[in-house]
Amino acid sequence: MATQPLGVVRVARQVLSTIVTNAALQTVGVMRMAHVADQWSRHLGRELPAQGVALTIKENTVSADLYLVVASGVNIVDVGSAVQDEVASAIENMVGMQVRTVNVYIQDVA
């Protein structure tokens, strides 16, 4: 007997943003998300998203840009790679969407 779907399940963009943020903040070496008020964003000539996360969603695929502040003394490249892995895993496991890219921009060291 074939089962028919009961309806649609839609995940709000803010939910995806929260998942991405939580995954990034749980990564060792990440201090916080960078924010618009951070002084370095002005000097780098790049506008930051309000919460440090920008998402592009096309059909069932997500691309994420994360703007982070990392801890002093950590290997920044290793932290960035770990964030990419954690974020991709969280999106795929929690909502079943495919991840196209996870771009990590380190904005400062604290």
Side-chain angles (χ1 to χ4, degrees), residues 14-92:
Q14 183 57 43
V15 173
L16 289 174
S17 182
T18 299
I19 291 169
V20 168
T21 299
N22 288 343
L25 292 175
Q26 290 176 8
T27 304
V28 174
V30 174
M31 298 298 292
R32 62 182 177 83
M33 305 303 290
H35 297 288
V36 175
D38 290 341
Q39 66 178 354
W40 292 110
S41 64
R42 291 189 302 272
H43 297 296
L44 295 173
R46 175 176 287 162
E47 285 296 316
L48 295 181
Q51 301 301 317
V53 176
L55 299 175
T56 303
I57 303 165
K58 291 185 180 174
E59 297 178 14
N60 197 40
T61 304
V62 178
S63 294
D65 292 336
L66 288 84
Y67 299 85
L68 306 174
V69 176
V70 298
S72 179
V74 300
N75 182 311
I76 294 172
V77 174
D78 287 348
V79 171
S81 295
V83 167
Q84 289 173 318
D85 292 341
E86 290 295 325
V87 167
S89 179
I91 291 171
E92 290 168 354

